[in-house]
Amino acid sequence: MFDAPFDVFAVMIAIAAFLIALKASNQAAELRRRLGSLEAAMQAQRQIQPPPLPVQEQASAPATSAAEPPPLAPEAETGPPLVTEEAAPPPLEASPEASPAAGAPPPLPAPAPGLEERLGTRWVVWIGGLALALGGFFMVRYSIEAGLVGPGVRVFLGGLFAAALLGAGEWTRRKESISSIAALPIANIPAILTAAGTAVAFATVYAAYALYGFLVPATAFVLLGIVAMATLAAALLHGPALAGLGVVGAFATPVLVSSGKPDYWALYIYLAIVTAASFGLARIRLWRWLAVTTIVFAVLWIFPGLDTGDLHVAPHAFHVMSGFVLAALLVVCGFMFGPDIEAGQIEPVSSSALGAYLFGAMLIVLSSAHADLALIAYTLLVAATLFVTWRAEAAVGALGAAAATVFIVFAEWAVRANPDMLVLPGGPMPGITPNATDSAVTQHLVMAAIFAASFGVAGFFAQGRSHSAIIPVVWSAAGVATPIAILIALYARIAHLDRSIPFAILAVLLAAAFGAATELLTRRETRPGLAISTALFATGTLGALALALTFALEKGWLTIALALMSLGTAWIALQRPIPFLRWLAAIFAGIVTARILYDPRIVGDAVGTTPVFNWLLWGYGLPAASFWAASHYLRRRGDDAPLRMVEAAAILFTTLLAFMEVRHFATGGDMIASPSLLEAALQVCVALAMAIGLERLRLRSQSIVHNVGAIVLTAIAGCISVFGLLFLENPLLWHIDVGGAVFNLLLLGYALPAVLMLLLAYAVVGARGKIYANTLAGAALVFALVYLTLEIRRFYHGPFLTSGETTGAEQYTYSIGWLAFGVVLLGIGILANSERARLASAAVIALTILKAFVIDMSTLTGVYRALSFMGLGIVLVAIGWLYQRILFRRQAMPPPAPQAST
């Protein structure tokens, strides 16, 4: 009896054939519609042709038009007597208004078929073909379940039914070709009958092999292959439906017919024949979908055997190499026997075909642990890719795949062969021994030199060969990226990411080669894509120099090198105004920023203990300077997103440099220590100073980044001031040593921030809102008053402000100090004619009055209470006198003039 796998396989084959036929039928319908529109247009053109001239005009026609006899009029064909010219009426000139045919609009294209037409002419045919195939399967199943016939008869009947369907398909095809009834291309009955016959043939051979054991594996394999190849051949007559069925059946045959010990040579020789037939059919009929389907199935057949310990490298290498050669011969447009294509175009199928087989070769190399034969095959395919893409521009897209696979091969080799990653604390990784570290170092070095030279030289000499801009750009990108990627992989494998002078020398030599290429390209005449290619080689020069710094110096220099690459790219963008270079400079800035997020200390614990002049200065200062210079170059060409990204990086690194240096200084080099009053005070001062600088800078640059940066720094300073200086690190609340009598942390943490806040308030006057400036001025007043209060307490309590009791003399000193501060502010306001200073004075004096009546009256006793109120009263009277006599002095009205007597 038929078992479940046979039923599933039969249904899958039938459904696959149905779907492929549906897609092909839709394509044929579109072609039929276009052909009908073209015929209608030609018919309309024939109707617009002017009628033949009368006999009278033919006699008077010029000699130039008498050489060809005009067509006879209907009257002349019937043979009436000719009319003489004198008796004939004068001919009338034809006008567009008088000619109905000339004024009639061209007929509209044929309308799309309706639901009834689809049902009657298409769907019933498709469903009928599917029903025929399934009917054959189910009939055989019924005969088995009922016990009507034996296995041999069943196989014979299956083959007979397949032959009958194939014969019916051929008979109907020939019948339609000799009859007057044209077949519907969208519902081609011969093609569907033939597809059903081939599906039944596949099922019959498979049943004879898998279910009944009538056939040995070799015979079944050959028969199924013959059916598949015959199906592909029949597709030349019956269309794409059979082609799809044939290619699916051909590539599925090895799955259906399997043995306990696979023969990879027989498998891949068979697949090479199938691939050649499928590519040939796709080339003859120009079926792109068939070529893509074949490539997908061929690549999938690379995976069997890759995950086993006993990998057969030779047959796998033969499979990818034969497929690559066939794709180059038959699929790649503009090369050998491939389809024609307009010069300068990159064709996706051509590029992806080569890239797919390169991917397969890479998998073989990785799975075989870089076996010699696999490396040789892969090297040959990369070289063949360069050759094919050099001759056929349609396949230039495969250069990207070649460059990517080269980097993956060398990067995997570097990781696999790195002893630091193989030998773990518990021993080697399972399945990998330290012997892998000795795998063909010399061979890989030779391959690396060949690949780097081939890509680099080809990328340079490809400039100027094409009239399309994209072709030389792809070549130059591959020529620059591949040598750099190979150098990085070799550095990781051999030098283990440590300092290496030999690799630094190689990077310098590579930079010199790229620099020479850049200089030579700048001297050439302008060609499509030359400017971008020149910029790419110049960028490669900067990249190689950055790698040289990285290889020759410590690991932290990688951050500096990438920042310098951003600067160099911005300078090149100024010389060569290419938008891509501006984005490249921004990308380098983003990479450096990501590097900082990974490790803010840049070099880990090796920052150093020297204040200021430590690794933070180089790790943050040089990138900050590079980004500021890069933003200067980029701004010359306009304000855009890349410029803003670089400007943001410049502000970020400058801020981080200042904050990290402050923390390093305040903690003595311990970057993970707890914060302190000194650190908070310095951070507030630094943030305010940079905010002032950005406020001045934004007035000249009109940059939104400088504008936002100033606001953000001001907000950061405000947050640290409120939560840090006034609460978390306030010496009045916590046991903190503030230092000496005058030059102490109070001066740094409260007096200096007050001065900077006041300067920032004046810097934003007229540039920002009045509330913004007044808020800063108010904050400056608060910090100045806090400083005065804490300094008085320092005078009475020493360096620790929380120790001791508050005496009456101290309370009196607070009142006198606040009152004196208010008087000083009033004096400044009068001398500078500043209303803001006078209002600040009024606020301080009001606070002093409140203190006198709320605190001094209840806490002070004796002479201190009297002196407090006496001093306050004298000052208030003096202030009133100043306001009356100086600020708001009223002029006395002059006496009226005496009236003259009469």
Side-chain angles (χ1 to χ4, degrees):
M1 293 179 63
F2 282 130
D3 54 2
F6 172 70
D7 298 335
V8 173
F9 171 70
V11 175
M12 289 176 59
I13 289 251
I15 294 176
F18 175 74
L19 294 177
I20 294 172
L22 179 61
K23 177 181 178 181
S25 298
N26 291 334
Q27 295 175 350
E30 179 66 16
L31 293 176
R32 180 173 175 269
R33 187 186 63 80
R34 294 183 180 180
L35 182 60
S37 301
L38 181 60
E39 291 178 350
M42 294 178 62
Q43 182 66 25
Q45 184 69 24
R46 286 195 295 268
Q47 293 178 1
I48 297 176
Q49 295 295 330
L53 296 175
V55 180
Q56 291 86 350
E57 288 192 36
Q58 295 178 18
S60 59
T64 57
S65 62
E68 296 181 6
L72 296 177
E75 294 80 1
E77 293 178 2
T78 55
L82 293 177
V83 182
T84 59
E85 185 176 354
E86 291 78 4
L92 297 177
E93 295 184 359
S95 62
E97 294 78 4
S99 176
L108 297 176
L115 178 61
E116 182 180 3
E117 183 180 353
R118 289 192 180 98
L119 288 173
T121 61
R122 305 177 186 179
W123 295 354
V124 294
V125 179
W126 300 333
I127 298 175
L130 180 61
L132 281 174
L134 293 178
F137 301 148
F138 296 148
M139 179 59 69
V140 175
R141 181 184 181 87
Y142 171 74
S143 66
I144 296 173
E145 292 175 350
L148 300 179
V149 293
V153 179
R154 298 168 198 165
V155 173
F156 175 76
L157 291 177
L160 189 61
F161 184 58
L165 289 175
L166 293 174
E170 181 63 18
W171 181 81
T172 53
R173 184 187 69 83
R174 297 188 179 186
K175 189 69 174 179
E176 287 179 350
S177 63
I178 62 176
S179 64
S180 59
I181 301 177
L184 287 175
I186 198 168
N188 195 345
I189 295 176
I192 292 178
L193 290 175
T194 306
T198 54
V200 175
F202 270 115
T204 301
V205 176
Y206 177 71
Y209 159 72
L211 300 181
Y212 306 126
F214 293 156
L215 302 176
V216 296
T219 305
F221 184 81
V222 171
L223 289 178
L224 288 174
I226 291 175
V227 173
M229 300 297 290
T231 305
L232 287 175
L236 290 172
L237 299 175
H238 293 281
L242 281 179
L245 182 61
V247 72
V248 171
F251 280 100
T253 295
V255 178
L256 302 177
V257 181
S258 59
S259 60
K261 185 178 181 181
D263 187 351
Y264 287 104
W265 275 113
L267 169 66
Y268 288 136
I269 291 175
Y270 165 78
L271 291 180
I273 297 174
V274 171
T275 302
S278 184
F279 280 164
L281 179 58
R283 171 63 184 91
I284 294 173
R285 287 301 186 91
L286 297 179
W287 288 338
R288 295 160 58 96
W289 65 268
L290 182 59
V292 173
T293 304
T294 304
I295 294 170
V296 171
F297 278 116
V299 172
L300 290 177
W301 269 111
I302 298 175
F303 288 92
L306 290 182
D307 56 346
T308 60
D310 185 18
L311 175 61
H312 298 75
V313 177
H316 281 77
F318 167 78
H319 176 57
V320 294
M321 295 183 71
S322 62
F324 184 94
V325 171
L326 290 172
L329 292 176
L330 300 174
V331 177
V332 175
C333 298
F335 182 78
M336 300 300 289
F337 306 106
D340 297 331
I341 192 174
E342 185 178 351
Q345 293 184 0
I346 298 179
E347 204 273 323
V349 176
S350 302
S351 301
S352 59
L354 302 184
Y357 286 104
L358 282 173
F359 172 76
M362 178 196 71
L363 291 180
I364 297 174
V365 172
L366 302 183
S367 301
S368 64
H370 295 248
D372 294 342
L373 182 58
L375 286 174
I376 294 173
Y378 174 74
T379 304
L380 292 176
L381 288 189
V382 173
T385 301
L386 292 176
F387 175 75
V388 174
T389 51
W390 185 268
R391 298 289 303 272
E393 295 180 348
V396 167
L399 285 175
T405 56
V406 166
F407 174 71
I408 293 174
V409 166
F410 280 92
E412 194 271 346
W413 174 67
V415 173
R416 174 186 290 271
N418 197 329
D420 297 335
M421 303 186 68
L422 290 175
V423 182
L424 302 179
M429 294 178 61
I432 301 178
T433 61
N435 293 332
T437 59
D438 301 328
S439 59
V441 175
T442 303
Q443 185 178 6
H444 282 79
L445 291 177
V446 173
M447 287 176 53
I450 294 174
F451 286 153
S454 299
F455 277 92
V457 172
F460 172 76
F461 284 102
Q463 307 305 311
R465 296 183 68 250
S466 176
H467 297 286
S468 175
I470 187 63
I471 303 299
V473 170
V474 174
W475 274 105
S476 60
V480 170
T482 305
I484 291 179
I486 292 176
L487 184 61
I488 294 174
L490 292 179
Y491 169 69
R493 162 62 182 86
I494 298 175
H496 309 295
L497 301 180
D498 290 331
R499 185 170 176 265
S500 175
I501 298 300
F503 275 99
I505 295 175
L506 289 177
V508 171
L509 294 177
L510 184 60
F514 286 152
T518 304
E519 182 64 22
L520 293 175
L521 291 178
T522 54
R523 299 178 181 178
R524 291 188 179 183
E525 61 180 3
T526 303
R527 294 294 298 272
L530 183 61
I532 299 179
S533 299
T534 304
L536 288 175
F537 275 102
T539 305
T541 304
L542 297 175
L545 289 176
L547 288 178
L549 293 176
T550 304
F551 297 160
L553 305 173
E554 298 297 334
K555 296 179 181 179
W557 286 98
L558 178 60
T559 304
I560 301 174
L562 293 174
L564 292 176
M565 288 179 65
S566 178
L567 171 60
T569 307
W571 180 80
I572 296 173
L574 179 63
Q575 308 300 322
R576 303 282 182 181
I578 302 170
F580 168 73
L581 292 179
R582 300 176 66 88
W583 279 106
L584 186 60
I587 291 172
F588 284 136
I591 294 175
V592 177
T593 304
R595 168 69 176 85
I596 292 301
L597 294 177
Y598 172 72
D599 185 5
R601 296 173 297 177
I602 300 178
V603 290
D605 297 331
V607 177
T609 57
T610 305
V612 181
F613 297 99
N614 48 55
W615 244 107
L616 297 174
L617 179 62
W618 313 118
Y620 286 97
L622 289 180
S626 299
F627 294 147
W628 281 113
S631 64
H632 173 72
Y633 289 136
L634 294 177
R635 180 164 291 279
R636 293 186 182 183
R637 293 287 182 181
D639 188 355
D640 54 4
L643 169 64
R644 295 171 185 174
M645 293 174 63
V646 175
E647 286 180 339
I651 296 174
L652 175 63
F653 272 80
T654 304
T655 305
L656 290 177
L657 170 64
F659 283 9
M660 296 295 285
E661 286 286 8
V662 164
R663 180 160 184 78
H664 183 275
F665 173 77
T667 60
D670 186 4
M671 304 300 293
I672 59 176
S674 301
S676 62
L677 176 61
L678 174 62
E679 181 181 353
L682 290 175
Q683 287 178 348
V684 170
C685 294
V686 167
L688 291 173
M690 289 190 296
I692 295 172
L694 285 179
E695 291 288 353
R696 298 295 185 184
L697 180 61
R698 79 179 184 89
L699 296 178
R700 298 196 307 267
S701 66
Q702 299 297 319
S703 171
I704 187 175
V705 176
H706 297 160
N707 184 16
V708 175
I711 296 176
V712 171
L713 285 173
T714 303
I716 292 174
C719 291
I720 300 176
S721 300
V722 173
F723 296 102
L725 297 178
L726 297 183
F727 290 99
L728 298 179
E729 302 297 336
N730 192 338
L732 193 60
L733 303 177
W734 310 99
H735 190 70
I736 299 175
D737 186 359
V738 298
V742 178
F743 298 100
N744 50 35
L745 291 180
L746 301 178
L747 179 67
L748 182 64
Y750 298 94
L752 185 56
V755 174
L756 292 174
M757 289 177 184
L758 185 62
L759 293 177
L760 181 58
Y762 278 100
V764 300
V765 171
R768 299 193 186 274
K770 189 175 182 180
I771 298 177
Y772 191 87
N774 290 338
T775 302
L776 291 173
L781 178 62
V782 170
F783 267 76
L785 192 59
V786 170
Y787 168 71
L788 177 62
T789 303
L790 295 179
E791 191 63 39
I792 292 174
R793 189 167 181 83
R794 165 67 181 78
F795 177 77
Y796 282 95
H797 294 268
F800 293 98
L801 305 185
T802 57
S803 62
E805 297 292 335
T806 303
T807 63
E810 183 181 346
Q811 285 288 358
Y812 177 71
T813 307
Y814 288 144
S815 299
I816 294 300
W818 289 8
L819 191 60
F821 181 55
V823 172
V824 171
L825 289 177
L826 179 60
I828 295 173
I830 293 173
L831 294 177
N833 193 21
S834 172
E835 181 183 4
R836 184 177 296 170
R838 296 195 297 270
L839 292 176
S841 170
V844 173
I845 293 175
L847 183 62
T848 306
I849 296 172
L850 180 64
K851 178 182 179 297
F853 284 93
V854 174
I855 299 178
D856 294 354
M857 185 176 291
S858 61
T859 58
L860 295 180
T861 59
V863 68
Y864 287 116
R865 178 187 294 179
L867 290 177
S868 175
F869 279 91
M870 289 174 58
L872 178 61
I874 293 173
V875 170
L876 292 178
V877 172
I879 291 173
W881 182 85
L882 287 174
Y883 270 84
Q884 291 177 7
R885 296 295 181 179
I886 299 177
L887 294 178
F888 300 103
R889 183 177 181 180
R890 295 181 179 180
Q891 298 292 335
M893 297 297 295
Q899 296 181 357
S901 59
T902 57

